[in-house]
Amino acid sequence: MKDTLEKIRLNTLESLKNAEDEAAIDAINLAVFGKNGSLTEILKGMGKLSKEERAAVGQLVNGVKKELEKELNERKAEIAAKMQELRFAKEAIDVTEPGKISMPEGHLHPMTQTYREIRDALVGMGFTTYEGPEVEYDDYNFTKLNLPLDHPARDMQDTFYVNDKVVLRTHTSPLEARALLNLKPPFRLIMPGRVFRVDEVDASHSPVFMQMEGFVVDKDLTLADLKGTLLTFIHAVFGEDVKMRFRPSYFPFTEPSAEVDVSCTLCGGKGCRLCKGTGWLEILGSGVTNPHELENCGLDPKEWKAFAFGLGVDRIASLKYGITDIRLEYENDARFLKQF
Ligand code: DAH
């Protein structure tokens, strides 16, 4: 009986070692401790033994029973832990794995891109942005800028009047007056914003469009400072190869005044359809600020000098990207905007 017991013990330990899953453990449990299990049979057979033998064998059997029960439980726990680990490994989510659906990515409007290129080049030269209202006093939009009520140049721009004294600003130039009245010079400003004119919508006109004014006030400034400033941002927007040309012009708020052209972005200056054969494209108005404007805003023109320039952001974007219809820049057709 002792030998049988030892055999059961060794067999069971061996099978426990080889068991791979919980079902195998349950089978061993049944084969050893079940109703007809090998150890149960031994316990049943103990009735035939003498009293002394029973005590000795009983102790042995109990020892083996305890040992095997302990081994079985340990192995069962071990297998359960391993199973859980496998399950966790299978269920793990790799959060760094790229997604299956690619999200559509937007980008900046070509006009915003162009504006930011101009702005960034100017910020690099010490400019900061300054903004003001779209509904503006006639006084700031015209009078303070050396355009009194009876000035013929008021007809250069067709104005939306809100009432006698208030207009929708026709340009960003009223911000010059606001800056002069509110800020302490010296300063260098970029003044962007929407402007409004009574115009029918067509390929080159829109009643609302975006302008940007540059305005510098300091003790001694010359036309050369204006030229250098313009050339720097023109190169940033159109590339280093583009040429700049100053052409004498007239604006009430500047004296002298100049319109600025760049060599044609399409033909490089040879002459084509875009530049109407001239080789040049007009991009902005500029000049040395008229002393009357400084005076109107409380600055002594003997002490302070200023220069200014104003441009249409949509026009610059059109020339840069070869857009031939201004409406495309304001209609937000995704098929058009996707190209930039
Ligand atoms: N305000 C002018 C316009 O809307 C543009 C302009 C011209 C602005 C000359 C200036 C300037 O500051 O000096 O047509």
Side-chain angles (χ1 to χ4, degrees), residues 126-138:
F127 283 69
T128 50
T129 48
Y130 187 68
E131 291 183 56
E134 291 170 1
V135 180
E136 183 58 282
Y137 291 110
D138 174 290

Side-chain angles (χ1 to χ4, degrees), residues 141 145 156-157 170-174 176 191 195 197 209 211-215 226 250-259 282 284-289 293 307-312:
N141 194 78
L145 304 181
M156 279 162 68
Q157 300 173 351
T170 56
H171 50 180
T172 44
S173 303
E176 294 185 13
M191 309 189 286
V195 302
R197 295 199 192 162
F209 55 102
Q211 272 197 349
M212 198 209 86
E213 194 91 0
F215 192 39
L226 171 61
Y250 170 77
F251 297 104
F253 25 86
T254 43
E255 181 60 42
S257 302
E259 279 177 295
E282 184 214 316
L284 58 84
S286 68
V288 173
T289 303
E293 178 185 318
F307 67 72
F309 51 96
L311 54 86

Side-chain angles (χ1 to χ4, degrees), residues 227-247:
K227 279 181 118 170
T229 304
L230 294 177
L231 195 62
T232 303
F233 93 72
I234 285 170
H235 278 169
V237 174
F238 293 107
E240 295 287 327
D241 293 337
V242 93
K243 287 194 202 58
M244 177 177 85
R245 177 173 85 167
F246 260 47
R247 191 162 32 77

Side-chain angles (χ1 to χ4, degrees), residues 273-286:
R273 188 176 42 86
L274 184 65
C275 58
K276 302 198 177 78
T278 65
W280 295 96
L281 300 166
E282 184 214 316
I283 60 158
L284 58 84
S286 68

Side-chain angles (χ1 to χ4, degrees), residues 26 28 96 117 159 203 269 277 279 292 322:
D26 289 342
I28 294 166
T96 67
E117 278 171 15
T159 311
H292 292 311

